[in-house]
């Protein structure tokens, strides 16, 4: 949300009067007529942008002001370019004043003018025309064009490619593919004569042009790449950098845009694959010889790429370029920033190799040895984790075709990454994104994925707000008949896992103590060998080692002081959301036996939750909601688990400590313990349930609540009364007993307030409900039809029933309302 000061400025901008706005326009025109622009001009342009952008209406500026703003697009001051472009994009162009670049001045187009030009394009044909002009400008000699013209062209085309790729025709694609090949493979291999440009490239100073160097300081013996360094760089070397930065995006979009002639492309690929594999001679047309560069091993097998069509040739050169980057990444860089650059280039290189292999399967066999060697070199160093994820993507996409063993990759991705790097937010984002993008493939082809859910949930336990959206999508894929019970326990133990991860990280860092100087008891327990097994179970990497911990209450006591840690509180707030997703997913994969087991888990774990009052209350609410849902889907669950449900409902302590879930357990017993729901429901079972609930109701209405406990909720009392009435209506021998209790209840409450209900209105509501039930039970037949109505009554379809008058009435009303 905006701060108070920002909201005030936005409000002023929206409420500005038209007369005041015209005066502001006039003052700004006078400021822009000067030769130099100071702070007042900058402030006025910023205020104008706020006024224009704060309202949903698009304004039209005066002609003189718009003309002045258009002229600022070519200002040498970049801040003026940014502001003028931003202002003009919020306005409607005047007739005849649209930004229009022809072939003569297209070379003067900068990034900010391009942004305005793209925003004003009214049709696909206009964008296509702009692309044609930009691409024709690339065909001119670089010596004849301004220095910046080529460096701005590719970003502009990349923007068009992002927002409207269909504007590029086949001719556009062919032309730019050829240019990308030239820039990627045939850039100069000598340093430029200018001063060091900084940015990506840093290197030793040199007065005379010298050969391009590698990151380790040696002279480069191959073609130029983004990992080459020098004192200065030529235009074509900068274009090499720009080309590499957009190469993956281009290849992905190129494949989708260039949908024609796919059969011909496939035939050409098959026809030329042999020449690519067996030809080792270079012709005079290969520019690598003309430029005098030394041919590397990575390109020695691709000398016949000049025979390929532009699309295939670009793939081949992209393949060579990426192999060269992988080769360069093995060099020891002198500077730390260059080491980070190597990692970033490795990520992009592997992604591009994956892209070209997806489009051309014949490249898989040439690429896999290099990627496999790269994985072997990096797999032991977790600082390369973000590089190893694209390698995992490559193995997932092509490992089956290449018939390679991928187990080592998955042990790393699903084992060490979450276990050791759970606190790395960037890796968490990348890994979870990888899982979401490949969800179907991972479920079908990688068995380690589902088994590793205890490890993956460490990301959720550590930083719940940042990754909760990811797990909303991922969690259903982890729910299977085999993992459901353990996954439910794991979700409920998530706050304990969060506290354990904090302790684990604290143990490896400097000792942490409370302000008073007393050490953390939980940290001492974490160090203790006697409790080590409890924490190791929470930190397990794979499923299958048991449902949950036997000594959960002991664990909760040791972690009690973690209840106010912010990270643990955030995690606890996420668990109810995950439980809803879990139960929604488990219904689709579980049979009735598994659902019955889950009902038992809910009853058991309702007493074994981490000691956060708000957390416990929310979990009970989730359990109540899904207990009703499961019993409604499978009413026979109540008979299957009648012993456990009766044991839970027969405990008076649950009335006071678990009001939510207790109320719903009593309701399902009264609702579904019936012959109509399950033929196994005997009179004996109904009677035993009646006696258990009767004892609880008598106890809570005949004495005051235990010390420290609140009075039983009116909903609990009325639910118990209704359940007893329902059970009695199915076994008429029980009617006198419940009628006697209801009549006594009315007599007792006539004497005034009672110890078990302090609120008079609640007491009146309870007595009223008792009188209604007592009246119904006087006529048992009516009571059963009212308290346990048959399905056709609860789900009526009278509009379809021809035996009632409703269909006739509907047809009559329809004939009256419709015109003849």
């Amino acid at each position: 949300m905006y701060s108070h000061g920002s909201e005030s400025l936005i409000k002023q901008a929206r409420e500005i009067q038209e007369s005041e706005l015209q005066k502001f326009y006039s003052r700004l025109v006078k400021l822009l007529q000067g030769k130099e622009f100071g702070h007042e001009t900058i402030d006025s342009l910023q205020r104008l942008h706020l006024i224009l952008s704060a309202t949903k209406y698009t304004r039209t500026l005066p002609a003189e002001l718009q003309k002045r703003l258009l002229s600022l697009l070519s200002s040498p001051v970049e801040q003026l370019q940014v502001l003028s472009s931003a202002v003009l994009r919020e306005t409607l162009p005047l007739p005849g004043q649209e930004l229009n670049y022809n072939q003569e001045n297209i070379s003067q187009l900068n990034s900010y003018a391009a942004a305005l030009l793209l925003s004003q394009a009214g049709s696909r044909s206009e964008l296509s025309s702009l692309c044609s002009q930009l691409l024709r400008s690339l065909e001119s000699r670089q010596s004849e064009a301004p220095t910046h013209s080529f460096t701005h062209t590719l970003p502009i085309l990349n923007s068009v490619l992002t927002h409207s790729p269909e504007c590029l025709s086949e001719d556009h694609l062919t032309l730019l593919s050829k240019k990308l090949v030239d820039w990627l493979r045939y850039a100069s291999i000598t340093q430029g004569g200018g001063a060091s440009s900084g940015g990506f490239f840093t290197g030793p100073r040199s007065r005379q042009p010298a050969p391009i160097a590698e990151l380790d300081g040696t002279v480069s013996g191959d073609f130029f790449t983004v990992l080459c360094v020098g004192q200065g760089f030529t235009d074509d070397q900068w274009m090499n950098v720009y080309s590499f930065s957009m190469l993956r995006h281009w290849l992905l979009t190129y494949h989708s845009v260039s949908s024609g002639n796919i059969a011909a492309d496939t035939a050409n690929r098959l026809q030329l694959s042999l020449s690519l594999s067996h030809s080792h001679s270079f012709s005079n047309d290969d520019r690598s010889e003309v430029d005098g560069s030394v041919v590397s091993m990575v390109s020695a097998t691709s000398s016949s790429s000049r025979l390929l069509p532009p699309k295939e040739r670009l793939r081949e050169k992209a393949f060579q370029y990426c192999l060269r980057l992988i080769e360069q990444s093995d060099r020891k860089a002198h500077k730390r920033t260059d080491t980070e650059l190597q990692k970033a280039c490795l990520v992009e290189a592997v992604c591009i190799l994956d892209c070209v292999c997806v489009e051309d399967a014949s490249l898989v066999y040439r690429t896999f040895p290099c990627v496999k060697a790269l994985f072997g070199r990096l797999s032991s160093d977790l600082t390369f984790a973000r590089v190893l994820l694209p390698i995992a993507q490559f193995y997932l996409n092509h490992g089956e075709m290449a018939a390679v063993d991928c187990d080592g990759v998955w042990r790393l991705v699903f084992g060490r990454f979450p276990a050791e790097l759970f606190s790395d937010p960037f890796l968490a984002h990348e890994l979870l994104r990888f899982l979401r993008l490949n969800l179907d493939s991972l479920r079908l082809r990688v068995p380690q994925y589902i088994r590793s859910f205890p490890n993956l949930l460490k990301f959720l336990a550590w930083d719940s707000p940042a990754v909760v959206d990811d797990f909303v999508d991922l969690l259903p894929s982890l729910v299977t008949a085999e993992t459901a019970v353990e996954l439910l326990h794991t979700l409920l133990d998530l706050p304990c896992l969060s506290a354990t991860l904090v302790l684990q990280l604290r143990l490896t860092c400097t000792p942490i103590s409370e302000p008073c100087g007393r050490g953390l008891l939980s940290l001492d327990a974490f160090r203790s060998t006697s409790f080590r097994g409890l924490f190791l179970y929470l930190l397990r990497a794979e499923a299958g080692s048991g449902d949950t911990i036997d000594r959960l209450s002991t664990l909760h006591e040791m972690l009690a002081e973690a209840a106010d840690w912010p990270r643990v509180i955030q995690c606890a707030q996420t668990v109810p959301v995950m439980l809803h997703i879990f139960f929604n997913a488990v219904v689709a994969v579980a049979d009735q036996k598994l659902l019955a087991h889950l009902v038992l888990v809910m009853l058991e774990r309702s007493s074994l939750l981490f000691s956060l009052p708000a957390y416990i209350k929310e979990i009970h609410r989730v359990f109540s909601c899904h207990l009703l849902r499961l019993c409604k889907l499978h009413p026979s669950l109540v008979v299957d688990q009648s012993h456990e449900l009766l044991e839970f409902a027969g405990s008076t302590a649950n009335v006071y400590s678990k009001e939510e879930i207790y109320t719903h357990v009593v309701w399902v017993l009264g609702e579904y313990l019936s012959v109509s729901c399950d033929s196994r429901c005997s009179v004996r079972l109904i009677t035993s349930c009646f006696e258990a609930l009767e004892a609880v109701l008598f106890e809570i209405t005949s004495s005051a609540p235990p010390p420290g406990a609140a009075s039983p909720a009116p909903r609990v009392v009325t639910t118990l009364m209704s359940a007893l009435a329902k059970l009695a209506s199915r076994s008429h021998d029980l009617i006198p007993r419940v009628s006697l209790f209801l009549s006594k209840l009315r007599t007792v409450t006539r004497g005034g307030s009672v110890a078990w209900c302090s609120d008079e209105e609640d007491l009146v509501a309870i007595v009223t409900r008792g009188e209604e039930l007592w009246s119904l039970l006087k006529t048992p037949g009516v009571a059963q039809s009212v308290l346990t109505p048959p399905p056709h009554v609860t789900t009526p379809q009278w509009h379809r029933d021809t035996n009632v008058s409703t269909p006739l009435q509907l047809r009559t009303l329809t004939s009256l309302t419709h015109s003849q």
Side-chain angles (χ1 to χ4, degrees):
M1 297 299 292
Y2 296 111
S3 64
H4 179 71
S6 299
E7 290 183 352
S8 177
L9 290 174
I10 293 173
K11 185 177 180 181
Q12 291 177 21
R14 287 174 176 169
E15 295 176 353
I16 188 171
Q17 299 298 319
E18 186 65 26
S19 59
E20 184 181 355
L21 187 60
Q22 293 300 325
K23 293 179 181 178
F24 177 66
Y25 288 158
S26 302
R27 188 168 66 254
L28 184 55
V29 169
K30 292 179 180 178
L31 288 173
L32 294 177
Q33 287 175 349
K35 294 182 179 181
E36 296 183 359
F37 307 116
H39 294 294
E40 186 179 358
T41 305
I42 300 295
D43 292 341
S44 298
L45 287 174
Q46 290 174 340
R47 185 185 176 195
L48 176 60
H49 181 247
L50 176 62
I51 293 172
L52 296 174
S53 59
T55 177
K56 63 181 179 180
Y57 304 106
T58 304
R59 299 180 185 270
T60 302
L61 297 179
E64 181 64 22
L65 178 56
Q66 186 161 14
K67 180 181 177 181
R68 297 287 178 181
L69 290 171
L70 287 171
S71 66
L72 289 180
L73 291 172
S74 56
S75 169
V77 181
E78 186 174 9
Q79 188 175 11
L80 293 176
Q81 296 177 16
V82 174
L83 286 172
S84 59
S85 175
V87 167
L88 289 170
R89 274 181 285 163
E90 297 289 342
T91 64
L92 291 172
L94 295 174
Q97 295 233 6
E98 297 88 351
L99 188 64
N100 187 19
Y101 278 81
N102 53 32
Q103 189 58 37
E104 286 71 27
N105 59 13
I106 193 71
S107 60
Q108 304 296 326
L109 191 64
N110 58 35
S111 300
Y112 308 109
L116 176 60
L117 190 61
L118 294 178
S119 68
Q120 290 182 350
S123 64
R124 184 184 303 175
S125 60
E126 291 182 15
L127 276 179
S128 183
S129 175
L130 172 62
C131 292
S132 298
Q133 295 179 39
L134 290 169
L135 291 170
R136 280 197 296 271
S137 71
L138 293 177
E139 294 183 293
S140 62
R141 295 182 180 180
Q142 293 188 12
S143 59
E144 298 175 356
T147 304
H148 69 276
S149 61
F150 291 102
T151 57
H152 284 299
T153 301
L154 281 185
I156 297 170
L157 287 172
N158 199 37
S159 298
V160 176
L161 190 67
T162 302
H163 301 292
S164 187
E166 66 277 3
C167 293
L168 297 175
S169 66
E170 287 291 335
D171 292 337
H172 296 157
L173 298 175
T174 300
L175 174 60
L176 191 51
S177 293
K178 290 179 178 179
K179 298 301 294 184
L180 289 174
V181 167
D182 291 341
W183 288 321
L184 286 171
R185 184 60 181 83
Y186 305 116
S188 303
I189 58 170
T190 58
Q191 301 181 29
S196 177
S197 55
F200 281 103
F201 307 100
T202 56
R205 295 183 177 273
S206 176
R207 292 183 178 275
Q208 299 296 329
I212 289 295
E214 303 288 351
L215 292 178
D216 59 0
T218 61
V219 175
S220 176
D222 210 326
F223 59 89
F224 179 87
T225 71
V226 69
L227 287 180
C228 293
V229 295
Q231 176 186 1
F233 298 92
T234 60
D235 287 344
D236 62 343
Q237 289 170 350
W238 281 112
M239 294 305 292
N240 180 285
V241 177
Y242 287 135
S243 300
F244 175 67
S245 67
M246 69 169 286
L247 179 58
R248 177 159 56 118
H249 187 198
W250 175 259
L251 290 172
L252 290 171
T253 313
Y254 192 11
H255 182 74
S256 62
V257 173
S258 180
S259 56
N261 256 348
I262 294 179
D265 286 346
T266 305
N268 290 335
R269 181 186 309 152
L270 294 174
Q271 183 179 358
L272 292 172
S273 59
L274 291 177
S275 64
L276 286 172
S277 303
H278 298 291
S279 176
H280 297 278
S281 62
F282 287 84
S283 71
N284 293 331
D285 293 335
D286 196 326
R287 288 183 51 187
S288 61
E289 282 191 349
V290 177
D291 292 342
S293 62
V294 179
V295 181
S296 68
M297 292 298 294
V298 297
S299 58
T301 59
S302 59
S303 56
S304 297
S305 63
R306 60 187 177 83
L307 303 175
L308 295 168
K311 178 180 177 181
E312 306 291 339
R313 192 159 185 254
L314 178 58
R315 285 184 196 155
E316 179 66 26
K317 296 305 178 184
F319 171 77
Q320 295 176 23
Y321 193 98
C322 293
L323 292 190
R324 166 117 165 88
L325 287 178
I326 293 175
E327 174 192 342
Q328 289 178 294
S329 68
D330 197 20
R331 298 176 180 269
K332 180 69 174 179
H334 290 322
K335 298 183 178 181
R336 183 178 179 182
T337 53
D338 289 338
T339 301
E340 296 302 316
L341 176 61
Q342 284 179 315
K343 294 178 183 179
C345 289
L346 275 176
V347 170
E348 191 68 11
V350 176
C351 289
I352 292 173
L353 287 175
D354 180 49
C355 176
V356 298
C357 288
V358 167
E359 294 187 7
D360 186 355
S362 65
L363 291 174
V364 172
Y365 305 103
R366 297 168 58 189
T367 307
F368 234 113
C370 178
V371 176
K372 186 177 181 180
L374 181 64
F375 175 75
R377 175 162 62 90
L378 303 181
S379 58
S380 60
D381 188 354
L382 290 185
T383 61
F384 286 91
R386 297 181 70 190
V387 180
L388 291 165
L389 281 178
I391 295 177
Q393 181 72 66
F394 190 91
Y395 269 81
L396 182 64
N397 290 343
H398 311 291
E400 189 174 345
M401 175 183 290
V404 297
D405 184 14
C406 303
D407 286 344
V409 177
W410 306 131
R411 281 197 301 271
L412 187 69
V413 171
F414 297 121
R416 292 189 65 193
F417 280 7
E420 300 181 37
L421 302 175
F422 59 86
S423 59
D424 185 343
F426 298 105
L427 177 71
H429 170 75
E430 294 292 338
L431 177 56
L432 295 177
R433 180 176 178 271
F434 166 76
L435 298 181
R436 292 174 68 181
L437 292 176
N438 301 282
L439 205 50
D440 294 334
S441 298
L442 290 170
R443 292 195 66 184
L444 293 174
R445 296 160 50 191
V446 185
Q448 294 94 328
Y449 165 64
I450 294 178
R451 294 202 307 267
S452 65
F453 71 80
N455 230 8
L456 295 176
L457 286 172
K458 291 175 183 176
F459 291 118
L460 184 63
W462 179 258
D463 194 5
S464 301
V467 302
V468 64
D469 289 341
D470 297 290
F471 277 94
V472 167
D473 294 336
L474 291 177
L475 189 62
S477 67
L478 299 171
V479 180
T480 66
E482 293 74 24
T483 65
V485 175
E486 185 176 353
L487 181 55
L488 176 56
H489 281 293
T490 306
L491 291 173
L492 294 172
D493 293 333
L494 218 54
C496 298
L497 176 59
S498 178
T500 303
L501 293 176
V502 173
L503 294 175
Q504 183 184 26
L505 213 59
R506 286 180 173 182
L507 195 61
T508 59
C509 303
T510 56
I512 302 295
S513 61
E514 294 178 342
C516 62
R518 184 172 58 88
L520 291 174
L521 298 178
S522 54
L523 195 58
D524 295 336
F526 187 77
R527 291 193 185 102
S528 174
T529 55
S530 57
F531 301 116
R532 191 63 177 163
L534 300 178
F535 293 105
L536 287 178
Y537 179 81
L538 286 175
L539 297 172
R540 70 195 186 280
E542 285 193 353
S545 56
D547 292 342
T548 187
I549 305 169
D550 294 333
R551 296 185 292 166
L552 264 178
S553 57
T554 303
L555 179 67
H556 293 162
E557 290 175 6
M558 291 186 296
L559 296 176
E561 61 188 348
D564 58 352
W565 294 354
R567 197 175 295 278
V568 176
I569 294 174
Q570 287 182 340
C571 179
Q573 292 170 347
T574 307
V575 174
V577 178
M578 295 296 110
L579 287 177
H580 280 300
I581 297 171
F582 168 82
F583 283 112
N584 290 337
V586 80
V587 170
V589 300
D591 56 11
Q592 188 165 331
K593 182 178 179 181
L594 177 57
L595 294 178
H597 193 173
L598 294 177
V599 170
L600 293 183
V601 172
M602 286 191 279
L603 297 178
E604 175 192 8
R605 289 304 304 265
S606 64
S607 302
L608 293 171
L609 295 172
F610 189 66
S611 54
L612 277 170
Y615 171 69
I616 294 174
K617 185 176 181 180
E618 284 299 318
I619 298 303
H620 285 175
R621 183 175 290 120
V622 174
F623 280 175
S624 303
C625 168
H626 291 283
L627 177 66
L628 293 184
R629 183 184 178 196
L630 294 180
C631 292
K632 185 176 182 180
L633 288 173
H634 302 280
S636 56
L637 285 174
V638 179
V639 176
D640 292 337
Q641 305 301 323
S642 58
H643 176 74
E644 288 76 12
L645 290 170
L646 283 177
E647 185 177 356
F648 185 89
S651 173
T652 307
N654 291 336
V655 174
Y656 301 102
S657 61
K658 305 171 189 175
E659 172 199 331
E660 186 78 23
I661 190 170
Y662 182 86
T663 304
H664 288 78
V665 168
V666 171
W667 189 88
V668 299
L669 285 171
E671 186 72 13
Y672 298 113
L673 207 59
S674 169
V675 177
S676 61
C677 296
D678 194 316
S679 58
R680 297 173 296 168
C681 182
S682 61
V683 174
R684 181 179 179 182
L685 181 58
I686 292 176
T687 303
S688 63
C689 179
F690 180 92
E691 292 174 348
L693 299 183
E694 182 186 37
V696 173
L697 182 59
F698 178 79
E699 184 174 349
I700 65 175
T701 57
S702 61
S703 61
S711 300
R715 185 175 60 158
V716 176
V717 178
T718 55
T719 305
L720 280 167
M721 290 162 47
S722 299
L724 290 175
K726 291 178 182 179
L727 294 172
S729 68
R730 298 166 198 157
S731 179
H732 294 175
D733 293 340
L734 302 174
I735 291 179
R737 293 170 61 174
V738 68
S739 298
L740 178 62
F741 174 83
L742 295 175
S743 62
K744 285 184 177 180
L745 179 67
R746 182 176 58 176
T747 304
V748 169
T749 56
R750 283 178 180 173
S753 61
V754 293
W756 51 270
C757 185
S758 57
D759 190 283
E760 185 177 351
E761 291 184 2
D762 292 341
L763 187 60
V764 170
I766 292 171
V767 172
T768 302
R769 179 62 173 164
E771 291 178 347
E772 293 171 352
L773 295 172
W774 184 58
S775 300
L776 277 174
L777 291 174
K778 289 181 179 179
T779 52
V782 175
Q784 185 169 6
S785 62
V786 171
L787 296 174
T788 313
H792 72 272
V793 175
T794 56
T795 56
Q797 293 185 341
W798 294 323
H799 61 289
R800 296 180 181 177
D801 191 353
T802 56
N803 295 322
V804 297
S805 60
T806 303
L808 178 60
Q809 294 175 3
L810 290 175
R811 285 194 295 270
T812 303
L813 290 172
T814 301
S815 63
L816 292 174
T817 54
H818 286 202
S819 58
Q820 298 297 329

